[in-house]
Amino acid sequence: MGFPLTPTLVVSMYSMLRDCPPFRGWKLPEADDIEFRTSRRKDAHGEHIEKTPPTRGARYTIMVSTEKNGHLNTILQSLAHEMVHLAQAIAKVPRRYEAHDNLDFVRRARKVCRVFGWDWRAF
């Protein structure tokens, strides 16, 4: 990667994606209401965490791995994937949504991938 992936860059990418369809119709929180992290995890591109019940600080956390995301497009896809999980949490889709073959996840993923030209099967 030509630049270090930092939480500040992830915040900027989140804000940009949030302004694009289909995300802008999903009532996602402002970036200030989410904790953004990077990690060196090798077992996941990213992760969405919801604190239930909410504790001090942000209710939602989005993590993007610096080890699994080495190019801008990969980072954006990983972040968008976690934003789909965030949208599901806000819409109160039952926790079963963790399964990526869940109909709600597949519908949302297909919408995102159609807009950005990504393969939803790899999403």
Side-chain angles (χ1 to χ4, degrees):
M1 180 181 335
F3 57 90
L5 179 60
T6 65
T8 302
L9 286 173
V10 177
V11 167
S12 296
M13 292 177 197
Y14 173 87
S15 295
M16 184 271 303
L17 288 171
R18 184 178 174 268
D19 287 340
C20 296
F23 297 111
R24 70 176 171 221
W26 292 351
K27 299 179 180 148
L28 298 178
E30 297 279 341
D32 291 345
D33 295 328
I34 299 172
E35 178 184 1
F36 292 91
R37 294 185 197 160
T38 58
S39 80
R40 297 186 70 151
R41 286 181 61 177
K42 294 180 181 179
D43 63 333
H45 283 80
E47 185 176 12
H48 160 260
I49 302 161
E50 179 181 10
K51 296 176 191 165
T52 53
T55 55
R56 288 186 322 190
R59 178 176 187 159
Y60 303 105
T61 300
I62 292 179
M63 179 280 297
V64 178
S65 170
T66 59
E67 295 294 314
K68 296 291 280 187
N69 298 282
H71 296 278
L72 179 62
N73 198 46
T74 312
I75 297 165
L76 287 171
Q77 285 183 51
S78 296
L79 178 58
H81 178 106
E82 300 312 323
M83 290 171 71
V84 169
H85 286 304
L86 174 62
Q88 291 181 298
I90 290 166
K92 298 192 182 338
V93 173
R95 294 293 288 176
R96 295 188 308 269
Y97 75 78
E98 295 296 337
H100 295 111
D101 59 355
N102 170 286
L103 184 58
D104 183 79
F105 182 87
V106 170
R107 283 182 180 160
R108 290 175 190 267
R110 284 183 174 181
K111 284 180 187 177
V112 169
C113 292
R114 205 170 22 252
V115 169
F116 292 97
W118 298 328
D119 180 353
W120 75 269
R121 291 168 199 86
F123 187 75

Short mmCIF file of all heavy atoms in Angstrom, two decimals, residues 31-70:
data_model
loop_
_atom_site.label_atom_id
_atom_site.label_comp_id
_atom_site.label_asym_id
_atom_site.label_seq_id
_atom_site.Cartn_x
_atom_site.Cartn_y
_atom_site.Cartn_z
N ALA A 31 -20.18 9.77 11.05
CA ALA A 31 -18.89 9.16 11.43
C ALA A 31 -18.52 9.48 12.88
O ALA A 31 -17.92 8.65 13.56
CB ALA A 31 -17.79 9.64 10.49
N ASP A 32 -18.91 10.66 13.37
CA ASP A 32 -18.59 11.03 14.76
C ASP A 32 -19.24 10.11 15.78
O ASP A 32 -18.82 10.08 16.95
CB ASP A 32 -19.03 12.46 15.04
CG ASP A 32 -18.20 13.49 14.30
OD1 ASP A 32 -17.11 13.12 13.79
OD2 ASP A 32 -18.63 14.65 14.21
N ASP A 33 -20.28 9.39 15.38
CA ASP A 33 -21.01 8.52 16.30
C ASP A 33 -20.51 7.07 16.25
O ASP A 33 -21.14 6.18 16.84
CB ASP A 33 -22.50 8.56 15.99
CG ASP A 33 -23.08 9.95 16.24
OD1 ASP A 33 -22.59 10.64 17.16
OD2 ASP A 33 -24.01 10.35 15.51
N ILE A 34 -19.43 6.83 15.53
CA ILE A 34 -18.87 5.48 15.38
C ILE A 34 -17.40 5.53 15.79
O ILE A 34 -16.70 6.51 15.50
CB ILE A 34 -18.98 4.99 13.93
CG1 ILE A 34 -20.45 4.93 13.52
CG2 ILE A 34 -18.32 3.63 13.74
CD1 ILE A 34 -20.66 4.64 12.05
N GLU A 35 -16.94 4.48 16.43
CA GLU A 35 -15.51 4.35 16.71
C GLU A 35 -14.88 3.58 15.54
O GLU A 35 -15.35 2.51 15.20
CB GLU A 35 -15.29 3.59 18.01
CG GLU A 35 -13.83 3.39 18.33
CD GLU A 35 -13.60 2.55 19.58
OE1 GLU A 35 -14.58 2.10 20.21
OE2 GLU A 35 -12.43 2.34 19.91
N PHE A 36 -13.86 4.14 14.95
CA PHE A 36 -13.17 3.50 13.84
C PHE A 36 -11.80 3.05 14.32
O PHE A 36 -11.09 3.81 14.98
CB PHE A 36 -13.03 4.45 12.64
CG PHE A 36 -14.34 4.76 11.99
CD1 PHE A 36 -15.09 5.85 12.40
CD2 PHE A 36 -14.84 3.94 10.99
CE1 PHE A 36 -16.31 6.13 11.81
CE2 PHE A 36 -16.06 4.22 10.39
CZ PHE A 36 -16.79 5.31 10.80
N ARG A 37 -11.43 1.83 13.94
CA ARG A 37 -10.14 1.28 14.33
C ARG A 37 -9.51 0.58 13.13
O ARG A 37 -10.21 0.13 12.22
CB ARG A 37 -10.30 0.20 15.39
CG ARG A 37 -10.80 0.64 16.71
CD ARG A 37 -10.78 -0.55 17.65
NE ARG A 37 -11.60 -0.31 18.81
CZ ARG A 37 -12.06 -1.25 19.59
NH1 ARG A 37 -11.80 -2.53 19.32
NH2 ARG A 37 -12.79 -0.97 20.63
N THR A 38 -8.21 0.45 13.20
CA THR A 38 -7.52 -0.46 12.30
C THR A 38 -6.91 -1.54 13.19
O THR A 38 -6.73 -1.35 14.38
CB THR A 38 -6.41 0.25 11.49
OG1 THR A 38 -5.49 0.86 12.38
CG2 THR A 38 -7.01 1.28 10.55
N SER A 39 -6.64 -2.68 12.59
CA SER A 39 -6.00 -3.76 13.33
C SER A 39 -5.03 -4.46 12.40
O SER A 39 -4.99 -4.18 11.20
CB SER A 39 -7.05 -4.75 13.86
OG SER A 39 -7.44 -5.63 12.82
N ARG A 40 -4.30 -5.39 12.95
CA ARG A 40 -3.38 -6.19 12.14
C ARG A 40 -3.89 -7.62 12.01
O ARG A 40 -3.11 -8.53 11.72
CB ARG A 40 -1.99 -6.15 12.77
CG ARG A 40 -1.44 -4.71 12.78
CD ARG A 40 -0.05 -4.68 13.25
NE ARG A 40 0.74 -5.31 12.19
CZ ARG A 40 2.00 -5.03 11.94
NH1 ARG A 40 2.62 -4.15 12.67
NH2 ARG A 40 2.64 -5.65 10.98
N ARG A 41 -5.17 -7.81 12.23
CA ARG A 41 -5.75 -9.15 12.14
C ARG A 41 -5.54 -9.75 10.76
O ARG A 41 -5.68 -9.05 9.76
CB ARG A 41 -7.25 -9.10 12.43
CG ARG A 41 -7.57 -8.88 13.89
CD ARG A 41 -9.05 -8.87 14.15
NE ARG A 41 -9.66 -10.15 13.78
CZ ARG A 41 -10.93 -10.41 13.97
NH1 ARG A 41 -11.73 -9.52 14.50
NH2 ARG A 41 -11.42 -11.57 13.61
N LYS A 42 -5.21 -11.03 10.75
CA LYS A 42 -5.02 -11.74 9.48
C LYS A 42 -6.20 -12.65 9.16
O LYS A 42 -6.24 -13.26 8.11
CB LYS A 42 -3.73 -12.54 9.54
CG LYS A 42 -2.51 -11.66 9.62
CD LYS A 42 -1.23 -12.46 9.66
CE LYS A 42 -0.05 -11.52 9.76
NZ LYS A 42 1.22 -12.22 9.83
N ASP A 43 -7.15 -12.74 10.09
CA ASP A 43 -8.28 -13.65 9.91
C ASP A 43 -9.57 -12.96 9.47
O ASP A 43 -10.58 -13.60 9.29
CB ASP A 43 -8.53 -14.43 11.20
CG ASP A 43 -8.94 -13.54 12.36
OD1 ASP A 43 -8.57 -12.35 12.37
OD2 ASP A 43 -9.63 -14.03 13.27
N ALA A 44 -9.53 -11.64 9.30
CA ALA A 44 -10.74 -10.91 8.89
C ALA A 44 -10.35 -9.62 8.18
O ALA A 44 -9.41 -8.94 8.61
CB ALA A 44 -11.61 -10.60 10.10
N HIS A 45 -11.08 -9.29 7.11
CA HIS A 45 -10.85 -8.02 6.42
C HIS A 45 -11.33 -6.85 7.28
O HIS A 45 -10.76 -5.77 7.24
CB HIS A 45 -11.58 -8.00 5.09
CG HIS A 45 -10.88 -8.78 4.04
ND1 HIS A 45 -10.96 -10.14 3.95
CD2 HIS A 45 -10.08 -8.38 3.02
CE1 HIS A 45 -10.24 -10.56 2.92
NE2 HIS A 45 -9.69 -9.50 2.34
N GLY A 46 -12.40 -7.09 8.01
CA GLY A 46 -12.97 -6.05 8.85
C GLY A 46 -13.94 -6.65 9.85
O GLY A 46 -14.18 -7.86 9.84
N GLU A 47 -14.48 -5.79 10.69
CA GLU A 47 -15.44 -6.26 11.69
C GLU A 47 -16.32 -5.10 12.10
O GLU A 47 -15.87 -3.96 12.21
CB GLU A 47 -14.69 -6.81 12.90
CG GLU A 47 -15.58 -7.42 13.95
CD GLU A 47 -14.80 -8.04 15.10
OE1 GLU A 47 -13.58 -7.81 15.21
OE2 GLU A 47 -15.43 -8.75 15.89
N HIS A 48 -17.59 -5.42 12.32
CA HIS A 48 -18.55 -4.47 12.87
C HIS A 48 -18.92 -4.97 14.26
O HIS A 48 -19.25 -6.15 14.43
CB HIS A 48 -19.81 -4.41 11.98
CG HIS A 48 -20.99 -3.86 12.70
ND1 HIS A 48 -21.97 -4.66 13.22
CD2 HIS A 48 -21.33 -2.59 13.02
CE1 HIS A 48 -22.87 -3.91 13.82
NE2 HIS A 48 -22.50 -2.66 13.71
N ILE A 49 -18.86 -4.09 15.23
CA ILE A 49 -19.17 -4.47 16.61
C ILE A 49 -20.25 -3.53 17.12
O ILE A 49 -20.14 -2.31 16.99
CB ILE A 49 -17.92 -4.36 17.51
CG1 ILE A 49 -16.79 -5.24 16.97
CG2 ILE A 49 -18.25 -4.70 18.96
CD1 ILE A 49 -15.42 -4.88 17.47
N GLU A 50 -21.28 -4.12 17.69
CA GLU A 50 -22.33 -3.33 18.33
C GLU A 50 -22.28 -3.62 19.81
O GLU A 50 -22.33 -4.78 20.22
CB GLU A 50 -23.71 -3.69 17.78
CG GLU A 50 -24.82 -2.91 18.44
CD GLU A 50 -26.21 -3.28 17.94
OE1 GLU A 50 -26.33 -4.27 17.19
OE2 GLU A 50 -27.15 -2.57 18.30
N LYS A 51 -22.18 -2.57 20.61
CA LYS A 51 -22.18 -2.73 22.06
C LYS A 51 -23.62 -2.80 22.53
O LYS A 51 -24.38 -1.84 22.38
CB LYS A 51 -21.47 -1.56 22.73
CG LYS A 51 -20.02 -1.46 22.38
CD LYS A 51 -19.42 -0.22 23.01
CE LYS A 51 -18.04 0.05 22.45
NZ LYS A 51 -17.59 1.40 22.76
N THR A 52 -24.02 -3.93 23.05
CA THR A 52 -25.37 -4.09 23.58
C THR A 52 -25.28 -4.65 24.99
O THR A 52 -24.74 -5.73 25.17
CB THR A 52 -26.23 -5.04 22.71
OG1 THR A 52 -25.53 -6.25 22.53
CG2 THR A 52 -26.54 -4.43 21.37
N PRO A 53 -25.79 -3.97 25.99
CA PRO A 53 -26.33 -2.61 25.87
C PRO A 53 -25.19 -1.62 25.63
O PRO A 53 -24.04 -1.92 25.95
CB PRO A 53 -26.98 -2.37 27.23
CG PRO A 53 -26.24 -3.25 28.17
CD PRO A 53 -25.81 -4.45 27.38
N PRO A 54 -25.53 -0.45 25.07
CA PRO A 54 -24.48 0.53 24.80
C PRO A 54 -23.82 0.98 26.09
O PRO A 54 -24.48 1.15 27.10
CB PRO A 54 -25.21 1.68 24.12
CG PRO A 54 -26.66 1.40 24.22
CD PRO A 54 -26.84 -0.01 24.65
N THR A 55 -22.53 1.10 26.04
CA THR A 55 -21.77 1.60 27.19
C THR A 55 -21.28 3.00 26.85
O THR A 55 -21.69 3.57 25.86
CB THR A 55 -20.59 0.66 27.49
OG1 THR A 55 -19.81 0.54 26.31
CG2 THR A 55 -21.07 -0.71 27.92
N ARG A 56 -20.39 3.50 27.67
CA ARG A 56 -19.86 4.83 27.37
C ARG A 56 -19.19 4.82 26.00
O ARG A 56 -18.64 3.82 25.57
CB ARG A 56 -18.83 5.23 28.42
CG ARG A 56 -19.44 5.57 29.75
CD ARG A 56 -18.42 6.10 30.68
NE ARG A 56 -17.14 5.38 30.50
CZ ARG A 56 -16.12 5.50 31.30
NH1 ARG A 56 -16.18 6.28 32.33
NH2 ARG A 56 -15.01 4.84 31.09
N GLY A 57 -19.24 5.96 25.36
CA GLY A 57 -18.60 6.05 24.05
C GLY A 57 -19.54 5.62 22.94
O GLY A 57 -20.75 5.53 23.11
N ALA A 58 -18.96 5.33 21.81
CA ALA A 58 -19.74 4.97 20.62
C ALA A 58 -20.42 3.62 20.80
O ALA A 58 -19.86 2.70 21.36
CB ALA A 58 -18.84 4.95 19.40
N ARG A 59 -21.63 3.52 20.29
CA ARG A 59 -22.37 2.26 20.34
C ARG A 59 -21.83 1.27 19.30
O ARG A 59 -21.90 0.06 19.49
CB ARG A 59 -23.84 2.52 20.09
CG ARG A 59 -24.66 1.26 20.06
CD ARG A 59 -26.12 1.51 19.92
NE ARG A 59 -26.82 0.25 20.08
CZ ARG A 59 -28.08 0.16 20.42
NH1 ARG A 59 -28.80 1.23 20.64
NH2 ARG A 59 -28.64 -1.02 20.53
N TYR A 60 -21.31 1.80 18.19
CA TYR A 60 -20.84 0.95 17.10
C TYR A 60 -19.35 1.17 16.87
O TYR A 60 -18.84 2.28 16.98
CB TYR A 60 -21.59 1.28 15.80
CG TYR A 60 -23.08 1.15 15.93
CD1 TYR A 60 -23.89 2.27 16.02
CD2 TYR A 60 -23.69 -0.11 15.97
CE1 TYR A 60 -25.26 2.15 16.15
CE2 TYR A 60 -25.06 -0.23 16.09
CZ TYR A 60 -25.85 0.90 16.18
OH TYR A 60 -27.19 0.77 16.31
N THR A 61 -18.68 0.10 16.51
CA THR A 61 -17.26 0.15 16.14
C THR A 61 -17.11 -0.54 14.80
O THR A 61 -17.70 -1.60 14.56
CB THR A 61 -16.39 -0.58 17.19
OG1 THR A 61 -16.57 0.06 18.46
CG2 THR A 61 -14.92 -0.55 16.80
N ILE A 62 -16.31 0.06 13.92
CA ILE A 62 -15.94 -0.58 12.66
C ILE A 62 -14.43 -0.68 12.62
O ILE A 62 -13.73 0.32 12.83
CB ILE A 62 -16.47 0.20 11.44
CG1 ILE A 62 -18.00 0.12 11.40
CG2 ILE A 62 -15.86 -0.34 10.15
CD1 ILE A 62 -18.63 0.89 10.25
N MET A 63 -13.95 -1.89 12.40
CA MET A 63 -12.52 -2.17 12.33
C MET A 63 -12.18 -2.62 10.92
O MET A 63 -12.93 -3.38 10.31
CB MET A 63 -12.16 -3.26 13.34
CG MET A 63 -10.68 -3.67 13.34
SD MET A 63 -10.17 -4.80 12.02
CE MET A 63 -11.13 -6.26 12.35
N VAL A 64 -11.05 -2.14 10.40
CA VAL A 64 -10.54 -2.58 9.10
C VAL A 64 -9.11 -3.06 9.32
O VAL A 64 -8.31 -2.38 9.96
CB VAL A 64 -10.60 -1.44 8.06
CG1 VAL A 64 -10.03 -1.89 6.73
CG2 VAL A 64 -12.03 -0.94 7.88
N SER A 65 -8.80 -4.23 8.79
CA SER A 65 -7.48 -4.83 8.97
C SER A 65 -6.46 -4.27 7.98
O SER A 65 -6.70 -4.27 6.77
CB SER A 65 -7.56 -6.34 8.80
OG SER A 65 -6.27 -6.91 8.73
N THR A 66 -5.32 -3.85 8.50
CA THR A 66 -4.23 -3.39 7.64
C THR A 66 -3.52 -4.57 6.98
O THR A 66 -2.86 -4.40 5.96
CB THR A 66 -3.19 -2.57 8.43
OG1 THR A 66 -2.66 -3.37 9.49
CG2 THR A 66 -3.83 -1.32 9.01
N GLU A 67 -3.67 -5.75 7.54
CA GLU A 67 -3.02 -6.95 6.99
C GLU A 67 -3.79 -7.55 5.81
O GLU A 67 -3.21 -8.19 4.95
CB GLU A 67 -2.87 -8.02 8.08
CG GLU A 67 -1.94 -7.62 9.20
CD GLU A 67 -0.50 -7.47 8.74
OE1 GLU A 67 -0.01 -8.35 8.02
OE2 GLU A 67 0.13 -6.47 9.12
N LYS A 68 -5.11 -7.37 5.78
CA LYS A 68 -5.94 -7.97 4.74
C LYS A 68 -6.37 -6.98 3.66
O LYS A 68 -6.97 -7.38 2.67
CB LYS A 68 -7.20 -8.58 5.38
CG LYS A 68 -6.95 -9.71 6.34
CD LYS A 68 -6.44 -10.94 5.64
CE LYS A 68 -7.56 -11.71 5.01
NZ LYS A 68 -7.15 -12.99 4.46
N ASN A 69 -6.09 -5.70 3.85
CA ASN A 69 -6.53 -4.67 2.92
C ASN A 69 -5.33 -3.84 2.49
O ASN A 69 -4.88 -2.97 3.24
CB ASN A 69 -7.58 -3.76 3.58
CG ASN A 69 -8.81 -4.52 3.97
OD1 ASN A 69 -9.64 -4.83 3.13
ND2 ASN A 69 -8.96 -4.84 5.24
N GLY A 70 -4.80 -4.10 1.30
CA GLY A 70 -3.61 -3.43 0.85
C GLY A 70 -3.82 -2.42 -0.26
O GLY A 70 -2.89 -1.73 -0.64
#
